[in-house]
Amino acid sequence: MRFLNQIARQAASLLQADGVGIFLHHDGVFQLANVYNLPSSYLTVQMPLGQGIAGRAVQTRQSVALDDYARDWRGSDDLPLAKETFGSLVCSPLIHGDEPVGALLVVAGRQGRLFGREDVYLLELLGAQAVVAIVHSNLLEEQQELNRQVEYARSQLETVLSSTESPVVAVDRDYRLIFANPAARALFPVRDDLPLVGQIPPDALPTRQLFRDIRRSRAHTYELALGDTFYLCHLAPLGYPPRRISGWVAVLNDVTQLKELDRMKSEMVRMTSHDLKNPLQAAMANLELLQDELTDADIHNSEIDDSITQIDKQLSRMNRIIRGILDLERVKIGARNFDYCPPAQIVDRAFDEMAALATDRRIQLVADVPLDLPALACDPDQFERAIINLVENAIKFSPSGASVGVRVRAENGTLVFQVEDSGVGIAEELQPRVFDRFYRANQKGTEHVTGSGLGLSLVKTIVENHHGKVTLTSQVGVGTTFTVTVPLTAVKN
């Protein structure tokens, strides 16, 4: 710090001193940071708070004046050879608020002048100015270091964003460009001095619905088609509460190839399922005829009966898997027939379809659906399938003799369906994946459960198609509750 040289020289001049030392405090230790007319080797001197005259002055918050250092001071020496060379001495503490900053030490030689009260007063005035200068210098250094770190981080961020192949765009509240990496400029050749409105396709700009989603969840993801290329756009605000949002940043990921792969996979699954469905239906019909013929012929053989029962179970299982795939593909297409449906009717139909399975597993189905609930605007077939799948899932994972409950309530313009069981539960680390297609959690107590892993995926797709959400709470060994929340008013798009 160059200004410390000026402070030391000014102190020597004002008090006509032979030497000056400036101590600065850091982490409970005082270090000699600057000297005037004292050996530069002293700059390595350190002492803890409370030791030496400098430490005493700071600890007591009062200046210390000695006429004869060797005669009057009995504590540890502040500097080497102090008793042999120091005569009169004045030390003023440097305090900022309640925090120690350091100490200003002025000495005269053994044959030098004797400091008086006026000298103490002058040194304290100079010390007050020195504190301000030191604190401001520290703040300036911290600010400069922070600026360097920010600039380095900005440079690193720009390097990363410029090298990425995904377009990245940041705009202010007036849709004026703040930043665009090379990939974004290649995609949108726009002028920086004009708003983006009118320069890029309207579909690429945020809508009011997106703004509402961002206010709720601080982010939004939507699909954007630009020509033959499809992008998954991740939009987030610039600025965080309680600050006002100053703009938005968007990252566009090219998902064209992924969409084509998904389309091809869906088409293959759909075609395969259709091709399997016809021979499966024929097999089930012939099995039923065989059972009728055996009954008519009054043929009773336990081994034949067991074989037919197993074949029927496996064919039924295959039929459920194919139906689940076809239902999922049908729902993904998005074709819906909206109508107003009473919640009690939805639950009753779900219980009717699951009655045989519940009886077979000795599960009691319990409904808590007030009759005065408003009707739900939905696609009845699809939404009933979602509730049926949740009830079926609950039955499968519940122990024999348990109960499965469905509760429905109205809440803030929505209907809330809750399907509760007291089954094996779902481990916390498995819960984020239960809605993935074809995912089946392998955990203790579920070895006997069969299925394709499509049921919950279908539920999620149907609920989201109705602009709702499905969540779960679960505890291993206690049970699971799935909660479906959907708006009462249909949203058609």
Side-chain angles (χ1 to χ4, degrees), residues 17-37:
D18 296 323
V20 177
I22 300 176
F23 290 88
L24 293 183
H25 176 261
H26 182 70
D27 291 338
V29 176
F30 288 94
Q31 180 170 350
L32 193 62
N34 190 273
V35 294
Y36 172 76
N37 208 23

Side-chain angles (χ1 to χ4, degrees), residues 216-381:
R216 287 196 299 264
S217 58
R218 304 297 302 165
H220 186 83
T221 301
Y222 63 99
E223 192 173 285
L224 175 64
L226 297 175
D228 296 330
T229 305
F230 293 89
Y231 293 93
L232 195 62
C233 182
H234 299 267
L235 190 70
L238 295 175
Y240 293 89
R243 295 174 55 191
R244 183 170 178 258
I245 293 177
S246 58
W248 298 272
V249 60
V251 180
L252 285 72
N253 295 305
D254 189 342
V255 294
T256 306
Q257 187 176 6
L258 294 178
K259 282 186 68 68
E260 179 61 19
L261 289 174
D262 186 64
R263 186 195 66 78
M264 293 172 62
K265 180 194 66 177
S266 298
E267 183 66 18
M268 181 187 67
V269 170
R270 186 188 64 80
M271 291 175 62
T272 303
S273 300
H274 276 290
D275 291 343
L276 289 174
K277 189 174 182 180
N278 291 334
L280 178 63
Q281 294 293 339
M284 294 178 71
N286 279 281
L287 181 63
E288 187 175 349
L289 289 175
L290 178 60
Q291 288 175 313
D292 292 340
E293 289 179 3
L294 291 174
T295 301
D296 293 341
D298 198 22
I299 297 175
H300 299 287
N301 184 299
S302 60
E303 292 184 1
I304 295 177
D305 291 341
D306 289 343
S307 296
I308 291 178
T309 300
Q310 289 301 320
I311 294 172
D312 184 56
K313 284 185 176 180
Q314 295 306 319
L315 291 177
S316 297
R317 179 187 175 192
M318 187 180 296
N319 186 50
R320 286 197 302 272
I321 294 173
I322 293 175
R323 186 179 66 182
I325 294 173
L326 295 177
D327 284 343
L328 187 59
E329 295 304 315
R330 192 178 301 111
V331 168
K332 283 184 62 179
I333 295 174
R336 286 167 286 162
N337 297 312
F338 276 93
D339 198 357
Y340 285 92
C341 189
Q345 178 181 310
I346 296 173
V347 177
D348 287 344
R349 290 182 178 176
F351 279 8
D352 287 343
E353 183 159 337
M354 289 293 103
L357 180 61
T359 301
D360 184 53
R361 294 178 179 265
R362 296 198 299 117
I363 301 294
Q364 182 183 7
L365 300 179
V366 180
D368 180 7
V369 187
L371 296 178
D372 60 348
L373 288 175
L376 174 65
C378 66
D379 183 314
D381 291 336

